[in-house]
Amino acid sequence: MEISQGIQLMQEQKIIYLLSLLSVAMIIDFISGVYAAKLHKEITSKRGINGIIRKVASMILLVFFLPVSLIIPGQTGIALLSVLYLGYLFMEIQSILENYQKIGIDTHYLQKILTKLKETVDLDEKDD
């Protein structure tokens, strides 16, 4: 597959959109985590730096797999990348909801929506 075909395929499959959405979720997760830690007086520079390093390392790894997905034949690489990004996005959303619970926000309804969304994605993956 040529690079231009790979880029076009990524655009068609909305991979860059998923990566952008994941970046926003990471930022929200970090900010809500810092706020929750501040409320509970558990904030330390060591935990903050570790959180930043984990987020940056995760993003580097996720971006690294963009060109790797082009090496895998057919659309399999793009499909695997989509699954990786969606899985990571669900983990970030779950972490955001946990932070909101620590802050004192009721997330019961959001948890239900997330569960339904996971079930829908699981059903779509089984159909493929």
mmCIF file with all atom_site columns, all heavy atoms in Angstrom, residues 77-97:
data_model
loop_
_atom_site.group_PDB
_atom_site.id
_atom_site.type_symbol
_atom_site.label_atom_id
_atom_site.label_alt_id
_atom_site.label_comp_id
_atom_site.label_asym_id
_atom_site.label_entity_id
_atom_site.label_seq_id
_atom_site.pdbx_PDB_ins_code
_atom_site.Cartn_x
_atom_site.Cartn_y
_atom_site.Cartn_z
_atom_site.occupancy
_atom_site.B_iso_or_equiv
_atom_site.pdbx_formal_charge
_atom_site.auth_seq_id
_atom_site.auth_comp_id
_atom_site.auth_asym_id
_atom_site.auth_atom_id
_atom_site.pdbx_PDB_model_num
ATOM 1   N N   . GLY A 1 77 ? -4.756  -3.518 9.292  1.00 0.00 ? 77 GLY A N   1
ATOM 2   C CA  . GLY A 1 77 ? -4.012  -2.599 10.165 1.00 0.00 ? 77 GLY A CA  1
ATOM 3   C C   . GLY A 1 77 ? -4.877  -1.461 10.667 1.00 0.00 ? 77 GLY A C   1
ATOM 4   O O   . GLY A 1 77 ? -4.835  -1.097 11.842 1.00 0.00 ? 77 GLY A O   1
ATOM 5   N N   . ILE A 1 78 ? -5.694  -0.902 9.774  1.00 0.00 ? 78 ILE A N   1
ATOM 6   C CA  . ILE A 1 78 ? -6.580  0.192  10.153 1.00 0.00 ? 78 ILE A CA  1
ATOM 7   C C   . ILE A 1 78 ? -7.640  -0.308 11.137 1.00 0.00 ? 78 ILE A C   1
ATOM 8   O O   . ILE A 1 78 ? -7.972  0.361  12.114 1.00 0.00 ? 78 ILE A O   1
ATOM 9   C CB  . ILE A 1 78 ? -7.251  0.810  8.913  1.00 0.00 ? 78 ILE A CB  1
ATOM 10  C CG1 . ILE A 1 78 ? -6.210  1.351  7.929  1.00 0.00 ? 78 ILE A CG1 1
ATOM 11  C CG2 . ILE A 1 78 ? -8.230  1.901  9.313  1.00 0.00 ? 78 ILE A CG2 1
ATOM 12  C CD1 . ILE A 1 78 ? -5.340  2.451  8.473  1.00 0.00 ? 78 ILE A CD1 1
ATOM 13  N N   . ALA A 1 79 ? -8.151  -1.511 10.898 1.00 0.00 ? 79 ALA A N   1
ATOM 14  C CA  . ALA A 1 79 ? -9.156  -2.085 11.798 1.00 0.00 ? 79 ALA A CA  1
ATOM 15  C C   . ALA A 1 79 ? -8.562  -2.319 13.187 1.00 0.00 ? 79 ALA A C   1
ATOM 16  O O   . ALA A 1 79 ? -9.191  -2.003 14.200 1.00 0.00 ? 79 ALA A O   1
ATOM 17  C CB  . ALA A 1 79 ? -9.701  -3.391 11.228 1.00 0.00 ? 79 ALA A CB  1
ATOM 18  N N   . LEU A 1 80 ? -7.353  -2.862 13.239 1.00 0.00 ? 80 LEU A N   1
ATOM 19  C CA  . LEU A 1 80 ? -6.693  -3.093 14.527 1.00 0.00 ? 80 LEU A CA  1
ATOM 20  C C   . LEU A 1 80 ? -6.428  -1.772 15.251 1.00 0.00 ? 80 LEU A C   1
ATOM 21  O O   . LEU A 1 80 ? -6.597  -1.672 16.466 1.00 0.00 ? 80 LEU A O   1
ATOM 22  C CB  . LEU A 1 80 ? -5.395  -3.867 14.330 1.00 0.00 ? 80 LEU A CB  1
ATOM 23  C CG  . LEU A 1 80 ? -5.534  -5.313 13.893 1.00 0.00 ? 80 LEU A CG  1
ATOM 24  C CD1 . LEU A 1 80 ? -4.173  -5.909 13.555 1.00 0.00 ? 80 LEU A CD1 1
ATOM 25  C CD2 . LEU A 1 80 ? -6.224  -6.136 14.966 1.00 0.00 ? 80 LEU A CD2 1
ATOM 26  N N   . LEU A 1 81 ? -6.023  -0.772 14.489 1.00 0.00 ? 81 LEU A N   1
ATOM 27  C CA  . LEU A 1 81 ? -5.766  0.537  15.077 1.00 0.00 ? 81 LEU A CA  1
ATOM 28  C C   . LEU A 1 81 ? -7.053  1.145  15.631 1.00 0.00 ? 81 LEU A C   1
ATOM 29  O O   . LEU A 1 81 ? -7.058  1.730  16.715 1.00 0.00 ? 81 LEU A O   1
ATOM 30  C CB  . LEU A 1 81 ? -5.152  1.460  14.017 1.00 0.00 ? 81 LEU A CB  1
ATOM 31  C CG  . LEU A 1 81 ? -4.515  2.741  14.503 1.00 0.00 ? 81 LEU A CG  1
ATOM 32  C CD1 . LEU A 1 81 ? -3.349  2.456  15.441 1.00 0.00 ? 81 LEU A CD1 1
ATOM 33  C CD2 . LEU A 1 81 ? -4.048  3.566  13.316 1.00 0.00 ? 81 LEU A CD2 1
ATOM 34  N N   . SER A 1 82 ? -8.145  0.978  14.914 1.00 0.00 ? 82 SER A N   1
ATOM 35  C CA  . SER A 1 82 ? -9.443  1.477  15.393 1.00 0.00 ? 82 SER A CA  1
ATOM 36  C C   . SER A 1 82 ? -9.841  0.808  16.700 1.00 0.00 ? 82 SER A C   1
ATOM 37  O O   . SER A 1 82 ? -10.306 1.476  17.627 1.00 0.00 ? 82 SER A O   1
ATOM 38  C CB  . SER A 1 82 ? -10.532 1.225  14.345 1.00 0.00 ? 82 SER A CB  1
ATOM 39  O OG  . SER A 1 82 ? -10.271 1.931  13.177 1.00 0.00 ? 82 SER A OG  1
ATOM 40  N N   . VAL A 1 83 ? -9.654  -0.494 16.782 1.00 0.00 ? 83 VAL A N   1
ATOM 41  C CA  . VAL A 1 83 ? -9.988  -1.227 18.004 1.00 0.00 ? 83 VAL A CA  1
ATOM 42  C C   . VAL A 1 83 ? -9.114  -0.748 19.164 1.00 0.00 ? 83 VAL A C   1
ATOM 43  O O   . VAL A 1 83 ? -9.597  -0.533 20.276 1.00 0.00 ? 83 VAL A O   1
ATOM 44  C CB  . VAL A 1 83 ? -9.842  -2.749 17.786 1.00 0.00 ? 83 VAL A CB  1
ATOM 45  C CG1 . VAL A 1 83 ? -9.940  -3.503 19.097 1.00 0.00 ? 83 VAL A CG1 1
ATOM 46  C CG2 . VAL A 1 83 ? -10.889 -3.242 16.802 1.00 0.00 ? 83 VAL A CG2 1
ATOM 47  N N   . LEU A 1 84 ? -7.818  -0.553 18.897 1.00 0.00 ? 84 LEU A N   1
ATOM 48  C CA  . LEU A 1 84 ? -6.902  -0.063 19.927 1.00 0.00 ? 84 LEU A CA  1
ATOM 49  C C   . LEU A 1 84 ? -7.334  1.310  20.421 1.00 0.00 ? 84 LEU A C   1
ATOM 50  O O   . LEU A 1 84 ? -7.434  1.551  21.630 1.00 0.00 ? 84 LEU A O   1
ATOM 51  C CB  . LEU A 1 84 ? -5.475  0.008  19.372 1.00 0.00 ? 84 LEU A CB  1
ATOM 52  C CG  . LEU A 1 84 ? -4.426  0.623  20.293 1.00 0.00 ? 84 LEU A CG  1
ATOM 53  C CD1 . LEU A 1 84 ? -4.166  -0.271 21.492 1.00 0.00 ? 84 LEU A CD1 1
ATOM 54  C CD2 . LEU A 1 84 ? -3.146  0.902  19.525 1.00 0.00 ? 84 LEU A CD2 1
ATOM 55  N N   . TYR A 1 85 ? -7.631  2.218  19.498 1.00 0.00 ? 85 TYR A N   1
ATOM 56  C CA  . TYR A 1 85 ? -8.024  3.573  19.872 1.00 0.00 ? 85 TYR A CA  1
ATOM 57  C C   . TYR A 1 85 ? -9.355  3.587  20.612 1.00 0.00 ? 85 TYR A C   1
ATOM 58  O O   . TYR A 1 85 ? -9.511  4.305  21.601 1.00 0.00 ? 85 TYR A O   1
ATOM 59  C CB  . TYR A 1 85 ? -8.106  4.468  18.647 1.00 0.00 ? 85 TYR A CB  1
ATOM 60  C CG  . TYR A 1 85 ? -6.766  4.903  18.091 1.00 0.00 ? 85 TYR A CG  1
ATOM 61  C CD1 . TYR A 1 85 ? -5.564  4.445  18.624 1.00 0.00 ? 85 TYR A CD1 1
ATOM 62  C CD2 . TYR A 1 85 ? -6.695  5.770  17.020 1.00 0.00 ? 85 TYR A CD2 1
ATOM 63  C CE1 . TYR A 1 85 ? -4.349  4.844  18.107 1.00 0.00 ? 85 TYR A CE1 1
ATOM 64  C CE2 . TYR A 1 85 ? -5.470  6.178  16.497 1.00 0.00 ? 85 TYR A CE2 1
ATOM 65  C CZ  . TYR A 1 85 ? -4.305  5.718  17.046 1.00 0.00 ? 85 TYR A CZ  1
ATOM 66  O OH  . TYR A 1 85 ? -3.104  6.130  16.542 1.00 0.00 ? 85 TYR A OH  1
ATOM 67  N N   . LEU A 1 86 ? -10.327 2.812  20.145 1.00 0.00 ? 86 LEU A N   1
ATOM 68  C CA  . LEU A 1 86 ? -11.622 2.766  20.830 1.00 0.00 ? 86 LEU A CA  1
ATOM 69  C C   . LEU A 1 86 ? -11.489 2.190  22.236 1.00 0.00 ? 86 LEU A C   1
ATOM 70  O O   . LEU A 1 86 ? -12.084 2.697  23.182 1.00 0.00 ? 86 LEU A O   1
ATOM 71  C CB  . LEU A 1 86 ? -12.627 1.956  20.018 1.00 0.00 ? 86 LEU A CB  1
ATOM 72  C CG  . LEU A 1 86 ? -13.247 2.666  18.826 1.00 0.00 ? 86 LEU A CG  1
ATOM 73  C CD1 . LEU A 1 86 ? -14.091 1.700  18.008 1.00 0.00 ? 86 LEU A CD1 1
ATOM 74  C CD2 . LEU A 1 86 ? -14.067 3.860  19.256 1.00 0.00 ? 86 LEU A CD2 1
ATOM 75  N N   . GLY A 1 87 ? -10.707 1.127  22.364 1.00 0.00 ? 87 GLY A N   1
ATOM 76  C CA  . GLY A 1 87 ? -10.481 0.543  23.688 1.00 0.00 ? 87 GLY A CA  1
ATOM 77  C C   . GLY A 1 87 ? -9.834  1.534  24.631 1.00 0.00 ? 87 GLY A C   1
ATOM 78  O O   . GLY A 1 87 ? -10.232 1.666  25.796 1.00 0.00 ? 87 GLY A O   1
ATOM 79  N N   . TYR A 1 88 ? -8.840  2.235  24.131 1.00 0.00 ? 88 TYR A N   1
ATOM 80  C CA  . TYR A 1 88 ? -8.153  3.221  24.953 1.00 0.00 ? 88 TYR A CA  1
ATOM 81  C C   . TYR A 1 88 ? -9.094  4.380  25.308 1.00 0.00 ? 88 TYR A C   1
ATOM 82  O O   . TYR A 1 88 ? -9.074  4.888  26.427 1.00 0.00 ? 88 TYR A O   1
ATOM 83  C CB  . TYR A 1 88 ? -6.922  3.750  24.216 1.00 0.00 ? 88 TYR A CB  1
ATOM 84  C CG  . TYR A 1 88 ? -5.814  4.141  25.136 1.00 0.00 ? 88 TYR A CG  1
ATOM 85  C CD1 . TYR A 1 88 ? -4.794  3.255  25.468 1.00 0.00 ? 88 TYR A CD1 1
ATOM 86  C CD2 . TYR A 1 88 ? -5.795  5.398  25.721 1.00 0.00 ? 88 TYR A CD2 1
ATOM 87  C CE1 . TYR A 1 88 ? -3.793  3.617  26.333 1.00 0.00 ? 88 TYR A CE1 1
ATOM 88  C CE2 . TYR A 1 88 ? -4.797  5.772  26.593 1.00 0.00 ? 88 TYR A CE2 1
ATOM 89  C CZ  . TYR A 1 88 ? -3.798  4.870  26.887 1.00 0.00 ? 88 TYR A CZ  1
ATOM 90  O OH  . TYR A 1 88 ? -2.809  5.227  27.758 1.00 0.00 ? 88 TYR A OH  1
ATOM 91  N N   . LEU A 1 89 ? -9.955  4.771  24.354 1.00 0.00 ? 89 LEU A N   1
ATOM 92  C CA  . LEU A 1 89 ? -10.919 5.840  24.614 1.00 0.00 ? 89 LEU A CA  1
ATOM 93  C C   . LEU A 1 89 ? -11.906 5.436  25.712 1.00 0.00 ? 89 LEU A C   1
ATOM 94  O O   . LEU A 1 89 ? -12.212 6.230  26.604 1.00 0.00 ? 89 LEU A O   1
ATOM 95  C CB  . LEU A 1 89 ? -11.670 6.203  23.334 1.00 0.00 ? 89 LEU A CB  1
ATOM 96  C CG  . LEU A 1 89 ? -12.671 7.341  23.434 1.00 0.00 ? 89 LEU A CG  1
ATOM 97  C CD1 . LEU A 1 89 ? -11.994 8.643  23.853 1.00 0.00 ? 89 LEU A CD1 1
ATOM 98  C CD2 . LEU A 1 89 ? -13.381 7.527  22.097 1.00 0.00 ? 89 LEU A CD2 1
ATOM 99  N N   . PHE A 1 90 ? -12.374 4.191  25.672 1.00 0.00 ? 90 PHE A N   1
ATOM 100 C CA  . PHE A 1 90 ? -13.284 3.718  26.717 1.00 0.00 ? 90 PHE A CA  1
ATOM 101 C C   . PHE A 1 90 ? -12.588 3.723  28.084 1.00 0.00 ? 90 PHE A C   1
ATOM 102 O O   . PHE A 1 90 ? -13.197 4.071  29.092 1.00 0.00 ? 90 PHE A O   1
ATOM 103 C CB  . PHE A 1 90 ? -13.816 2.321  26.404 1.00 0.00 ? 90 PHE A CB  1
ATOM 104 C CG  . PHE A 1 90 ? -14.906 2.317  25.362 1.00 0.00 ? 90 PHE A CG  1
ATOM 105 C CD1 . PHE A 1 90 ? -14.834 1.470  24.275 1.00 0.00 ? 90 PHE A CD1 1
ATOM 106 C CD2 . PHE A 1 90 ? -16.002 3.157  25.469 1.00 0.00 ? 90 PHE A CD2 1
ATOM 107 C CE1 . PHE A 1 90 ? -15.821 1.471  23.307 1.00 0.00 ? 90 PHE A CE1 1
ATOM 108 C CE2 . PHE A 1 90 ? -16.995 3.166  24.513 1.00 0.00 ? 90 PHE A CE2 1
ATOM 109 C CZ  . PHE A 1 90 ? -16.912 2.324  23.420 1.00 0.00 ? 90 PHE A CZ  1
ATOM 110 N N   . MET A 1 91 ? -11.308 3.353  28.125 1.00 0.00 ? 91 MET A N   1
ATOM 111 C CA  . MET A 1 91 ? -10.571 3.386  29.394 1.00 0.00 ? 91 MET A CA  1
ATOM 112 C C   . MET A 1 91 ? -10.445 4.818  29.916 1.00 0.00 ? 91 MET A C   1
ATOM 113 O O   . MET A 1 91 ? -10.581 5.064  31.118 1.00 0.00 ? 91 MET A O   1
ATOM 114 C CB  . MET A 1 91 ? -9.181  2.768  29.221 1.00 0.00 ? 91 MET A CB  1
ATOM 115 C CG  . MET A 1 91 ? -9.205  1.281  29.045 1.00 0.00 ? 91 MET A CG  1
ATOM 116 S SD  . MET A 1 91 ? -7.595  0.440  28.945 1.00 0.00 ? 91 MET A SD  1
ATOM 117 C CE  . MET A 1 91 ? -6.395  1.683  28.772 1.00 0.00 ? 91 MET A CE  1
ATOM 118 N N   . GLU A 1 92 ? -10.185 5.763  29.022 1.00 0.00 ? 92 GLU A N   1
ATOM 119 C CA  . GLU A 1 92 ? -10.074 7.164  29.431 1.00 0.00 ? 92 GLU A CA  1
ATOM 120 C C   . GLU A 1 92 ? -11.406 7.692  29.959 1.00 0.00 ? 92 GLU A C   1
ATOM 121 O O   . GLU A 1 92 ? -11.452 8.384  30.974 1.00 0.00 ? 92 GLU A O   1
ATOM 122 C CB  . GLU A 1 92 ? -9.602  8.038  28.263 1.00 0.00 ? 92 GLU A CB  1
ATOM 123 C CG  . GLU A 1 92 ? -8.150  7.864  27.915 1.00 0.00 ? 92 GLU A CG  1
ATOM 124 C CD  . GLU A 1 92 ? -7.203  8.320  29.003 1.00 0.00 ? 92 GLU A CD  1
ATOM 125 O OE1 . GLU A 1 92 ? -7.505  9.281  29.743 1.00 0.00 ? 92 GLU A OE1 1
ATOM 126 O OE2 . GLU A 1 92 ? -6.131  7.700  29.129 1.00 0.00 ? 92 GLU A OE2 1
ATOM 127 N N   . ILE A 1 93 ? -12.491 7.352  29.268 1.00 0.00 ? 93 ILE A N   1
ATOM 128 C CA  . ILE A 1 93 ? -13.824 7.794  29.717 1.00 0.00 ? 93 ILE A CA  1
ATOM 129 C C   . ILE A 1 93 ? -14.138 7.202  31.081 1.00 0.00 ? 93 ILE A C   1
ATOM 130 O O   . ILE A 1 93 ? -14.668 7.885  31.958 1.00 0.00 ? 93 ILE A O   1
ATOM 131 C CB  . ILE A 1 93 ? -14.895 7.425  28.671 1.00 0.00 ? 93 ILE A CB  1
ATOM 132 C CG1 . ILE A 1 93 ? -14.694 8.263  27.407 1.00 0.00 ? 93 ILE A CG1 1
ATOM 133 C CG2 . ILE A 1 93 ? -16.295 7.635  29.232 1.00 0.00 ? 93 ILE A CG2 1
ATOM 134 C CD1 . ILE A 1 93 ? -15.542 7.841  26.235 1.00 0.00 ? 93 ILE A CD1 1
ATOM 135 N N   . GLN A 1 94 ? -13.795 5.935  31.267 1.00 0.00 ? 94 GLN A N   1
ATOM 136 C CA  . GLN A 1 94 ? -14.016 5.294  32.567 1.00 0.00 ? 94 GLN A CA  1
ATOM 137 C C   . GLN A 1 94 ? -13.222 6.009  33.658 1.00 0.00 ? 94 GLN A C   1
ATOM 138 O O   . GLN A 1 94 ? -13.732 6.256  34.758 1.00 0.00 ? 94 GLN A O   1
ATOM 139 C CB  . GLN A 1 94 ? -13.619 3.811  32.496 1.00 0.00 ? 94 GLN A CB  1
ATOM 140 C CG  . GLN A 1 94 ? -13.932 3.033  33.745 1.00 0.00 ? 94 GLN A CG  1
ATOM 141 C CD  . GLN A 1 94 ? -15.422 2.906  33.988 1.00 0.00 ? 94 GLN A CD  1
ATOM 142 O OE1 . GLN A 1 94 ? -16.183 2.700  33.063 1.00 0.00 ? 94 GLN A OE1 1
ATOM 143 N NE2 . GLN A 1 94 ? -15.835 3.030  35.225 1.00 0.00 ? 94 GLN A NE2 1
ATOM 144 N N   . SER A 1 95 ? -11.995 6.384  33.353 1.00 0.00 ? 95 SER A N   1
ATOM 145 C CA  . SER A 1 95 ? -11.159 7.096  34.317 1.00 0.00 ? 95 SER A CA  1
ATOM 146 C C   . SER A 1 95 ? -11.741 8.476  34.628 1.00 0.00 ? 95 SER A C   1
ATOM 147 O O   . SER A 1 95 ? -11.731 8.917  35.784 1.00 0.00 ? 95 SER A O   1
ATOM 148 C CB  . SER A 1 95 ? -9.742  7.236  33.767 1.00 0.00 ? 95 SER A CB  1
ATOM 149 O OG  . SER A 1 95 ? -8.917  7.922  34.665 1.00 0.00 ? 95 SER A OG  1
ATOM 150 N N   . ILE A 1 96 ? -12.264 9.156  33.618 1.00 0.00 ? 96 ILE A N   1
ATOM 151 C CA  . ILE A 1 96 ? -12.898 10.459 33.830 1.00 0.00 ? 96 ILE A CA  1
ATOM 152 C C   . ILE A 1 96 ? -14.099 10.305 34.762 1.00 0.00 ? 96 ILE A C   1
ATOM 153 O O   . ILE A 1 96 ? -14.284 11.091 35.697 1.00 0.00 ? 96 ILE A O   1
ATOM 154 C CB  . ILE A 1 96 ? -13.322 11.089 32.484 1.00 0.00 ? 96 ILE A CB  1
ATOM 155 C CG1 . ILE A 1 96 ? -12.092 11.487 31.681 1.00 0.00 ? 96 ILE A CG1 1
ATOM 156 C CG2 . ILE A 1 96 ? -14.230 12.289 32.706 1.00 0.00 ? 96 ILE A CG2 1
ATOM 157 C CD1 . ILE A 1 96 ? -12.380 11.842 30.234 1.00 0.00 ? 96 ILE A CD1 1
ATOM 158 N N   . LEU A 1 97 ? -14.913 9.284  34.512 1.00 0.00 ? 97 LEU A N   1
ATOM 159 C CA  . LEU A 1 97 ? -16.085 9.053  35.365 1.00 0.00 ? 97 LEU A CA  1
ATOM 160 C C   . LEU A 1 97 ? -15.679 8.736  36.801 1.00 0.00 ? 97 LEU A C   1
ATOM 161 O O   . LEU A 1 97 ? -16.332 9.178  37.750 1.00 0.00 ? 97 LEU A O   1
ATOM 162 C CB  . LEU A 1 97 ? -16.958 7.945  34.781 1.00 0.00 ? 97 LEU A CB  1
ATOM 163 C CG  . LEU A 1 97 ? -17.650 8.267  33.452 1.00 0.00 ? 97 LEU A CG  1
ATOM 164 C CD1 . LEU A 1 97 ? -18.438 7.063  32.953 1.00 0.00 ? 97 LEU A CD1 1
ATOM 165 C CD2 . LEU A 1 97 ? -18.534 9.491  33.581 1.00 0.00 ? 97 LEU A CD2 1
#
